[in-house]
Amino acid sequence: MDGEELTEQETALYDRQIRVWGADAQRRLSKSHILVYGIKGTVAEFCKNIVLAGVGSLTLVDDRVVNEEALSANFLILPDDNLFQGKTLAEVCCDSLKEFNPMVRVSVEKGDISTFGVEFFEKFDVVVISCCSLAKKLINQKCRKLSKRVAFYTVDCRGSCGEIFVDLQNYKYSKKKLEENIDCQLEYPSFEEAISVPWRALPRRVSKLYFAMRVIEGFEDVEGSNPGETLIADLPGVLKLRKELCETNSLNESQIPNALLERLLIGTREYPPVCAIIGGILGQEVIKAISGKGDPLKNFFFFDAMDGKGLIEDISEPNTGS
Amino acid sequence: MASQEQLSAIKGAKVLMVGAGGIGCELLKTLALSGFQDIHIIDMDTIEVSNLNRQFLFRQSHVGQSKAKVARDAVLRVRPNISITPYHANVKESRFNVDFFKEFDVVLNGLDNLDARRHVNRLCLAADVPLVESGTTGFLGQVTVHLKGKTECYECQPKPAPKTYPVCTITSTPSKFVHCIVWAKDLLFAKLFGDKNLENDLNVHSNDAANSSEHSDVFEYRKDEDIEEYGRRIYDHVFGHNIEVALSNEETWKNRNKPRPIYSKDVLPEKLSEQNGNMEKGCVTDDVSAMASLGLKNPQDVWSLGENSRVFLEALRLFFLKREKEIGNLTFDKDDQLAVEFVTAAANIRASSFGIPLHSLFEAKGIAGNIVHAVATTNAIIAGLIVIEAIKVLIKDSNNYRMTYCLEHPSRKMLLMPVEPYEPNKSCYVCSETPLSLEVNTHRSKLRDFVEKIVKAKLGMNFPLIMQGASILYEVGEDLEEDMVAIYAANLEKLLVGLCLLSRIFSRSSHAISISSIGKNLMRRRNLMECFSLDGLNLLLIRTRISLLEMVKVHPMLYQQRRVWRPRRTLQFRKFQR
């Protein structure tokens, strides 16, 4: 490291977490810049986690206006009309997040993220996208175009299920193995590459949630509906798309059960416990990526409150795998 | 997503949270967002700066205030119309009795110590209220569900006791840095700054079982003695003279690396008061600190032997100069900067002597203070999992109760691993009906020994009620008459043989325990299964041939006249065939 030491204030505040990941990792965190798009319950949790962890800066993008529904699973929004009237989600969350850690610069960026150029993303070390259907592919590609490595994540919770996608491109890191530090390297596919892997080529026991999420994502893209707002009323359309996708991929429709799809079609309502869990896992992953220590998740994570499992799935072409 | 059934169960539920710290803050927030409307929360702690990295309901301005109350205020801002009742109190207080617990539909633990967890476990069993337990350390965490009669209780599986070390390892043959820390903290620091009346093994030598009163004067500060001279005298005694004495016993070092004696004149030949220009500067600040005084800025640095020696002497000097009134009453506190500096320095010098790698103040503080490393993310994940289980409990979805483990490294692709709860352990002395049998030397042990060391410390019964037949030998309570209190106090000093041959012990929150006396010679060490220490005292766990279901506990004080430790008595490490 460049010898810059943590201040006395930082050492006192971060004592307990420095004991987990070390002073060096803490220094790297304090120099990192995070971009977040799409703030709902899960992303609010994630933001809280990384602000507490002590990142350098956090930039929020979400021009949606605050309404009653947004309050339901987002603890960053206080139910005081005077406070949130007319403000965007990003603005309200920004104010709350600043309080958690005055040493982190939290700010808002306005505008349609899909129009931001490649150079916009260069300012950041980590980009987290939520509520963004297939437009996230484009943002991922922009990040990959940069010579600087930008860690890219997507996160979405639907009902009692959640999904995280990770793209660390070509990633070198170290980890502890039996008292020694060993160097490792992983090669990640982009989001587009990952979802293009033919379904039949995937291991048989891959989480059904992966397919279900792709179907609904595809439906939202086709319909042009707001991401994360598909309702149970849309079920027939979703099932139709499922049929098409399964035929294209030679996959049996039973691999994507109706019951599962129904559970995911709850519109914009969120399930706070799942937001906390997914926001926590994502927080850990981002911290690991910034510090360059510890095995990162590759490349999808799924959680389903119904069976309680938090699973990692490696969805990549065999020849790009680790 | 919450179904109608779930939502209505949540709305009508009365929930008790025990703990408003790392897990507690996350849990309170998630419960409130999930629609819970009647939450009670108990926590005896106040907010500290080191909490703020993860207990996000608290701000710098709240340091010193009650966690339960501040957490409540913070969450009410997000959900003004729900009811949160805070108790700034210890959950072990008598007002949190069985009747109190019976009022709740589920109890959620976010505690950080075994003692309180056991206490809550027993109350939940007595009140027949479901308990969702949890814990986190760094990236690891777990959530477990406990229902009386249906699943294991929290104590069905023995929990590992906190690690302690044999006295001889600490006093004579340290091999790890932690041994040096224990020596510096529990022996040297205690001897110099703590209660002089307490027993202290500092000068116990391997070949000298007799009392060590001839050496006790060494540590006494003589009036008008030059502080630096005093410091060097202590230094030379513990790091020089004592090591030389230990070396004289060849037997000890046959298979071990010999330590080297260290004398202050070799490490710091020049008088410090002449050298150290910074000495007066350090006196200006309120926080008395040897590091500040010596210009050592970074707690992550590993100091040299010379630097450690300076810190040792300077810390000692500052204690006598600035905190004289406290000397004789001090106990080690990890938040006492000067104490941490002293212990770090002393441990490092000792480590140097024994060829053990030195450590930074940061590391030493963690070891000496038993600091648990903690981050916000794990607590958030665990809190989410707790709420999911709590909801299952409320709607009695018993087939789906799960113990969930949050792993640092995935196991079979899983980072979050759910496991079905086990059935209760039939020989659990807490939740099963099996009586516990104890062997105790009733001719040597007093009731006090039994109550303090076995009933309270080992069995975790905080408010025992001990009866012989229909008469009460001892009890604890707030509303006792004075003459009863006097009788009980007198009983504590009596030998068990004088009080009873057979007695039954009850606790307000657990089952009957019968003791049988077996007379004088207890030391037939049958089937020594495990040995572990509790609070620095050695308790041997012996499984007898009488019954496989019975656990027999014996305390060495009960069968020895004096606590004399000989290194050859490797009782602690003998491994027997199971």
Side-chain angles (χ1 to χ4, degrees):
Chain A
M1 269 321 282
D2 56 7
E4 253 183 51
E5 288 176 5
L6 296 167
T7 66
E8 215 176 292
Q9 193 190 7
E10 285 173 315
T11 316
L13 178 63
Y14 300 137
D15 184 274
R16 298 297 185 268
Q17 65 200 39
I18 292 174
R19 291 177 192 280
V20 176
W21 52 61
D24 200 44
Q26 189 62 51
R27 276 187 282 267
R28 282 181 215 236
L29 278 168
S30 70
K31 295 185 187 358
S32 61
H33 306 286
I34 322 289
L35 174 72
V36 160
Y37 173 82
I39 309 172
K40 283 174 74 178
T42 311
V43 170
E45 285 277 344
F46 166 74
C47 290
K48 175 248 306 162
N49 292 332
I50 55 157
V51 166
L52 289 173
V55 295
S57 78
L58 174 62
T59 307
L60 307 171
V61 183
D62 198 326
D63 290 341
R64 292 179 290 185
V65 174
V66 177
N67 55 24
E68 287 291 329
E69 208 170 48
L71 274 124
S72 67
N74 186 335
F75 64 96
L76 299 176
I77 308 174
L78 303 182
D80 183 341
D81 288 324
N82 297 331
L83 287 178
F84 74 68
Q85 203 59 267
K87 284 191 175 172
T88 65
L89 275 171
E91 284 167 339
V92 175
C93 294
C94 180
D95 294 335
S96 300
L97 286 166
K98 279 181 179 153
E99 287 189 17
F100 292 147
N101 189 343
M103 292 193 268
V104 178
R105 280 191 321 280
V106 189
S107 63
V108 171
E109 187 74 43
K110 285 180 181 283
D112 181 357
I113 198 170
S114 55
T115 65
F116 294 170
V118 171
E119 59 297 334
F120 171 79
F121 296 97
E122 190 158 27
K123 293 184 275 187
F124 304 101
D125 303 292
V126 175
V127 170
V128 175
I129 306 292
S130 183
C131 312
C132 193
S133 65
L134 289 172
K136 51 193 164 184
K137 274 194 291 192
L138 298 167
I139 301 171
N140 186 201
Q141 280 161 14
K142 284 177 189 167
C143 294
R144 284 182 142 240
K145 284 204 175 103
L146 294 164
S147 53
K148 166 187 180 186
R149 191 181 62 84
V150 172
F152 177 85
Y153 300 83
T154 72
V155 63
D156 283 294
C157 282
R158 295 177 190 276
S160 51
C161 297
E163 173 189 79
I164 296 174
F165 167 77
V166 181
D167 176 14
L168 300 177
Q169 300 174 45
N170 193 327
Y171 182 62
K172 292 192 177 68
Y173 66 101
S174 72
K175 69 172 179 186
K176 239 193 166 106
K177 196 168 182 174
L178 305 168
E179 302 300 328
E180 260 183 30
N181 271 332
I182 60 173
D183 289 327
C184 308
Q185 186 173 350
L186 287 175
E187 188 84 47
Y188 283 77
S190 71
F191 184 74
E192 185 160 21
E193 285 165 356
I195 63 172
S196 306
V197 173
W199 289 2
R200 263 196 73 149
L202 295 172
R204 192 164 293 200
R205 282 183 169 277
V206 152
S207 173
K208 295 182 165 60
L209 204 40
Y210 171 72
F211 302 119
M213 289 293 206
R214 303 285 78 72
V215 170
I216 297 181
E217 193 175 70
F219 179 80
E220 285 174 348
D221 195 52
V222 160
E223 295 292 303
S225 53
N226 283 326
E229 287 173 7
T230 319
L231 295 165
I232 195 73
D234 299 306
L235 185 61
V238 170
L239 293 178
K240 183 161 165 275
L241 183 61
R242 176 186 70 178
K243 191 164 154 110
E244 287 167 24
L245 288 170
C246 286
E247 272 166 22
T248 319
N249 280 285
S250 313
L251 190 77
N252 197 318
E253 274 190 81
S254 64
Q255 283 285 71
I256 317 177
N258 283 29
L260 178 57
L261 287 169
E262 284 167 27
R263 278 199 296 129
L264 301 178
L265 294 177
I266 57 135
T268 51
R269 277 179 306 148
E270 295 178 278
Y271 196 34
V274 175
C275 296
I277 293 166
I278 300 294
I281 298 276
L282 181 60
Q284 265 168 213
E285 286 305 309
V286 168
I287 290 168
K288 273 194 268 186
I290 294 169
S291 65
K293 278 165 90 169
D295 285 312
L297 190 161
K298 180 174 186 274
N299 58 344
F300 275 92
F301 174 82
F302 295 103
F303 178 75
D304 186 344
M306 207 163 92
D307 66 14
K309 288 186 191 163
L311 286 166
I312 299 176
E313 296 285 5
D314 189 347
I315 314 272
S316 50
E317 291 281 12
N319 58 4
T320 63
S322 55
Chain B
M1 193 52 230
S3 67
Q4 266 313 110
E5 188 196 0
Q6 287 172 332
L7 284 170
S8 98
I10 289 168
K11 217 167 148 188
K14 188 170 174 182
V15 172
L16 175 66
M17 280 179 51
V18 188
I23 295 177
C25 285
E26 295 285 346
L27 182 56
L28 187 61
K29 170 258 299 166
T30 307
L31 284 171
L33 287 180
S34 300
F36 284 82
Q37 302 196 333
D38 187 1
I39 306 169
H40 293 241
I41 174 161
I42 304 175
D43 192 305
M44 62 188 232
D45 281 342
T46 55
I47 298 163
E48 295 173 16
V49 170
S50 62
N51 298 147
L52 302 176
N53 80 318
R54 63 203 183 281
Q55 298 172 25
F56 71 98
L57 298 176
F58 310 143
R59 303 279 170 268
Q60 185 72 42
S61 56
H62 293 135
V63 172
Q65 294 180 40
S66 151
K67 286 189 182 183
K69 292 182 183 165
V70 176
R72 166 194 179 260
D73 292 341
V75 173
L76 280 181
R77 289 172 69 207
V78 181
R79 287 290 181 272
N81 299 321
I82 66 175
S83 165
I84 305 177
T85 312
Y87 303 87
H88 182 197
N90 188 333
V91 69
K92 297 204 289 200
E93 283 174 27
S94 56
R95 59 170 155 154
F96 304 123
N97 55 16
V98 179
D99 289 330
F100 176 84
F101 273 72
K102 274 189 179 156
E103 302 265 312
F104 296 98
D105 298 300
V106 68
V107 174
L108 310 175
N109 267 357
L111 290 164
D112 60 0
N113 70 90
L114 189 61
D115 192 45
R117 284 178 159 124
R118 291 166 85 184
H119 183 82
V120 173
N121 180 50
R122 291 159 191 220
L123 280 164
C124 288
L125 287 167
D128 201 3
V129 173
L131 170 64
V132 181
E133 247 291 351
S134 65
T136 63
T137 308
F139 291 126
L140 294 171
Q142 80 278 336
V143 173
T144 55
V145 183
H146 307 277
L147 278 97
K148 181 172 174 177
K150 296 207 184 82
T151 71
E152 283 186 331
C153 82
Y154 180 70
E155 294 175 84
C156 278
Q157 300 275 4
K159 298 289 181 286
K163 182 110 178 96
T164 52
Y165 306 93
V167 175
C168 50
T169 307
I170 304 301
T171 58
S172 317
T173 54
S175 55
K176 295 185 188 164
F177 186 69
V178 59
H179 303 152
C180 303
I181 287 280
V182 175
W183 176 88
K185 182 175 84 149
D186 294 338
L187 295 184
L188 187 61
F189 182 90
K191 186 79 178 174
L192 288 171
F193 305 112
D195 186 349
K196 307 244 182 301
N197 294 322
L198 289 178
E199 231 181 87
N200 190 302
D201 288 312
L202 190 58
N203 274 337
V204 173
H205 304 300
S206 42
N207 55 357
D208 173 20
N211 75 59
S212 49
S213 58
E214 55 189 83
H215 295 286
S216 64
D217 289 338
V218 165
F219 296 97
E220 199 71 37
Y221 175 65
R222 293 161 201 156
K223 205 168 160 9
D224 296 332
E225 184 176 7
D226 174 49
I227 257 295
E228 187 177 331
E229 254 181 57
Y230 171 63
R232 283 177 182 264
R233 180 157 64 77
I234 302 293
Y235 187 111
D236 292 341
H237 183 78
V238 297
F239 301 123
H241 175 261
N242 279 359
I243 302 294
E244 304 232 20
V245 170
L247 281 170
S248 65
N249 181 1
E250 292 285 332
E251 187 63 41
T252 316
W253 310 108
K254 235 165 58 174
N255 296 320
R256 293 189 180 95
N257 291 331
K258 291 184 179 183
R260 62 181 183 105
I262 303 180
Y263 289 97
S264 62
K265 62 173 167 44
D266 302 319
V267 181
L268 299 170
E270 287 164 26
K271 239 176 117 57
L272 292 172
S273 41
E274 273 141 42
Q275 262 188 25
N276 198 347
N278 275 335
M279 264 165 59
E280 289 315 306
K281 273 188 210 166
C283 300
V284 175
T285 58
D286 284 331
D287 289 329
V288 180
S289 157
M291 276 176 71
S293 179
L294 295 169
L296 292 166
K297 297 246 167 67
N298 190 352
Q300 304 257 351
D301 284 337
V302 179
W303 304 322
S304 64
L305 176 60
E307 285 166 333
N308 274 299
S309 303
R310 278 178 206 273
V311 173
F312 179 90
L313 293 173
E314 179 65 3
L316 192 98
R317 187 186 80 91
L318 287 172
F319 266 117
F320 277 87
L321 195 69
K322 299 274 173 178
R323 296 172 60 177
E324 203 190 345
K325 294 202 174 76
E326 298 170 60
I327 295 176
N329 288 325
L330 281 167
T331 43
F332 178 81
D333 178 352
K334 69 182 189 304
D335 296 311
D336 180 346
Q337 176 67 13
L338 199 59
V340 173
E341 290 170 351
F342 179 82
V343 166
T344 302
N348 273 330
I349 300 165
R350 186 170 174 81
S352 179
S353 177
F354 282 85
I356 297 169
L358 275 56
H359 286 62
S360 67
L361 180 112
F362 179 81
E363 291 165 319
K365 178 175 167 179
I367 300 169
N370 288 317
I371 294 179
V372 176
H373 44 296
V375 296
T377 49
T378 321
N379 288 336
I381 294 165
I382 292 304
L385 292 168
I386 293 172
V387 174
I388 290 174
E389 289 306 311
I391 294 172
K392 289 180 198 169
V393 164
L394 292 173
I395 62 172
K396 299 189 172 37
D397 185 11
S398 51
N399 288 332
N400 285 318
Y401 297 151
R402 293 289 176 271
M403 322 273 263
T404 311
Y405 298 92
C406 179
L407 307 171
E408 191 169 350
H409 305 289
S411 159
R412 289 180 289 142
K413 297 196 302 183
M414 284 186 280
L415 270 183
L416 297 177
M417 190 166 76
V419 169
E420 280 184 46
Y422 295 112
E423 284 181 1
N425 176 1
K426 291 191 177 42
S427 43
C428 173
Y429 67 83
V430 177
C431 72
S432 79
E433 296 298 322
T434 314
L436 183 68
S437 174
L438 291 157
E439 283 190 10
V440 101
N441 187 335
T442 54
H443 290 259
R444 291 249 172 93
S445 54
K446 296 182 190 170
L447 186 63
R448 172 186 295 286
D449 298 321
F450 189 76
V451 168
E452 293 300 322
K453 286 153 191 159
I454 303 234
V455 177
K456 283 187 179 171
K458 186 69 197 74
L459 300 179
M461 294 179 187
N462 294 305
F463 304 106
L465 172 66
I466 304 183
M467 301 176 70
Q468 185 214 342
S471 61
I472 301 177
L473 295 178
Y474 176 76
E475 68 172 323
V476 180
E478 284 160 359
D479 46 358
L480 297 173
E481 288 162 17
E482 267 184 46
D483 47 355
M484 296 312 300
V485 173
I487 293 173
Y488 298 148
N491 283 346
L492 282 179
E493 300 311 318
K494 295 184 184 162
L495 293 174
L496 289 179
V497 66
L499 288 167
C500 60
L501 280 176
L502 203 70
S503 67
R504 298 184 78 73
I505 298 188
F506 291 90
S507 161
R508 292 213 167 97
S509 58
S510 187
H511 291 277
I513 293 196
S514 66
I515 324 174
S516 56
S517 157
I518 63 157
K520 292 184 198 179
N521 188 7
L522 186 63
M523 283 317 295
R524 275 166 284 143
R525 267 172 270 123
R526 299 170 279 179
N527 294 345
L528 183 62
M529 295 301 290
E530 296 162 18
C531 173
F532 50 86
S533 303
L534 199 68
D535 300 333
L537 305 167
N538 280 319
L539 288 170
L540 307 176
L541 195 70
I542 303 175
R543 197 160 291 182
T544 69
R545 291 188 196 103
I546 295 172
S547 164
L548 290 172
L549 294 182
E550 291 164 346
M551 307 254 271
V552 180
K553 297 164 182 64
V554 168
H555 189 280
M557 271 204 71
L558 304 180
Y559 59 77
Q560 281 172 244
Q561 284 290 10
R562 289 194 310 157
R563 222 171 102 229
V564 172
W565 296 103
R566 300 181 175 84
R568 300 261 175 115
R569 178 167 289 178
T570 52
L571 211 57
Q572 300 89 339
F573 299 108
R574 216 180 293 176
K575 282 183 168 56
F576 285 71
Q577 297 295 330
R578 279 186 192 243

